[in-house]
């Protein structure tokens, strides 16, 4: 078999937290006089919290000190975490558990590779914290996607070569990261334009592995 592992992105692949990010950033935008739109939010997919803030601040004419930026990012995260609190196993994307067990049956290893520092909390809420052979998230990396660090760390933890791993991503930044690390990117949803493979739903992944 050609592939030996799958790395799953979290937000946008195994669950949908986009709306929560949007509502939280919108509240921050309002506090500093910025109209933050859903189109703006789209640009934040896969990028880190501080980089997301920098994108939001492109709309502001004010200069913010590093200290103020960190306070804004913390405030956004507190709002975002309140939304995450409401999540449960029902928020796991349909077909995920079945896919994990089918992949394991076929002797593929599975990991999560997420830019989010809240990934552990989200995985717990989704009831899949122990489902993976490895979890690498925003707390474990210095460089966020499109840098490949998160996926390279996950490959190392799985003990597999990047070329033997499919990376399932919803965001262009994640597709780029996978490509840069020598992985095989699989795009899910409309955002991931330049992936090697494209799928519409999780179970379609089995058609690629065969
Ligand atoms: P946090 P992923 C990413 O998660 C999100 O797509 C992105 O929108 C967010 O800014 C980033 O995590 C950081 O999230 O504020 O929770 O650390 O798609 O890489 O799983
Ligand atoms: Mg994502």
């Amino acid at each position: 078999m050609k592939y030996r592992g799958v790395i799953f992105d979290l937000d946008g692949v195994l669950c949908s937290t986009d709306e929560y990010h949007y509502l939280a950033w919108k509240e921050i935008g309002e506090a500093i006089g910025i109209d933050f739109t859903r189109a703006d939010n789209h640009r934040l997919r896969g990028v880190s919290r501080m980089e997301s803030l920098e994108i939001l601040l492109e709309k502001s004419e004010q200069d913010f000190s590093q200290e103020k930026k960190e306070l804004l990012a913390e405030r956004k995260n507190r709002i975002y975490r309140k939304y995450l609190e409401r999540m449960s196993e029902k928020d796991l994307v349909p077909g995920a558990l079945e896919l994990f067990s089918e992949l394991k049956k076929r002797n593929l290893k599975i990991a999560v590779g997420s830019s989010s520092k809240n990934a552990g909390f989200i995985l717990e809420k989704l009831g899949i914290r122990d489902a993976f052979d490895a979890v690498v998230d925003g707390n474990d990396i210095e460089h966020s996607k499109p840098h490949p660090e998160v996926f390279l760390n996950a490959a190392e933890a799985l003990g597999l070569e990047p070329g033997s791993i499919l990376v399932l991503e919803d965001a262009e930044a994640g597709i780029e990261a996978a490509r840069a690390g020598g992985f095989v990117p699989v795009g899910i949803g409309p955002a991931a334009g330049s992936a090697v493979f494209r799928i519409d739903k999780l179970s379609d992944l089995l058609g690629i592995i065969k």
Side-chain angles (χ1 to χ4, degrees):
M1 188 186 297
K2 202 168 162 191
Y3 302 114
R4 303 190 57 206
V6 178
I7 302 176
F8 292 88
D9 172 50
L10 181 59
D11 292 330
V13 170
L14 295 177
C15 63
S16 179
T17 49
D18 256 31
E19 187 65 14
Y20 303 151
H21 280 297
Y22 168 68
L23 293 169
W25 282 125
K26 184 149 186 73
E27 207 172 312
I28 297 299
E30 273 160 16
I32 57 171
I34 289 173
D35 177 29
F36 183 72
T37 65
R38 281 176 207 278
D40 296 327
N41 192 55
H42 201 63
R43 293 178 60 203
L44 312 186
R45 275 171 181 255
V47 302
S48 72
R49 194 179 309 161
M50 286 310 281
E51 285 162 333
S52 297
L53 176 64
E54 294 293 347
I55 293 173
L56 178 122
L57 293 181
E58 284 173 15
K59 285 193 140 177
S60 173
E61 278 165 18
Q62 296 176 61
D63 271 335
F64 292 91
S65 65
Q66 190 55 31
E67 196 188 349
K68 177 78 181 157
K69 285 180 187 174
E70 274 158 26
L71 286 173
L72 287 173
E74 278 166 30
R75 187 168 158 194
K76 181 266 172 177
N77 197 48
R78 279 196 299 276
I79 303 165
Y80 177 59
R81 292 274 296 208
K82 284 204 179 129
Y83 289 111
L84 294 183
E85 283 285 356
R86 303 177 193 165
M87 289 180 84
S88 72
E89 292 169 15
K90 288 191 201 120
D91 293 294
L92 182 63
V93 159
L97 295 179
E98 294 78 358
L99 177 62
F100 298 160
S101 71
E102 186 58 33
L103 291 173
K104 285 184 180 170
K105 223 191 272 173
R106 297 186 192 191
N107 287 322
L108 273 89
K109 290 192 172 164
I110 59 173
V112 165
S114 168
S115 298
S116 173
K117 292 187 171 173
N118 294 299
F121 185 59
I122 297 170
L123 290 173
E124 202 171 295
K125 285 284 180 190
L126 297 174
I128 52 170
R129 204 173 175 137
D130 299 324
F132 301 94
D133 299 297
V135 174
V136 181
D137 67 27
N139 299 294
D140 308 314
I141 53 172
E142 263 181 57
H143 311 285
S144 181
K145 302 166 188 175
H147 194 284
E149 186 180 4
V150 69
F151 296 139
L152 290 172
N153 288 359
E156 198 180 333
L158 294 179
L160 297 176
E161 290 300 318
S164 71
I165 301 177
L166 294 165
V167 169
L168 191 51
E169 260 290 347
D170 68 309
E172 195 49 47
I175 297 292
E176 269 179 54
R179 200 186 298 284
F183 298 85
V184 182
V186 181
I188 187 160
S194 69
V196 172
F197 296 106
R198 299 290 309 273
I199 60 174
D200 292 322
K201 55 182 189 313
L202 275 189
S203 58
D204 294 344
L205 193 72
L206 295 171
I208 296 171
I209 290 158
K210 293 201 186 80

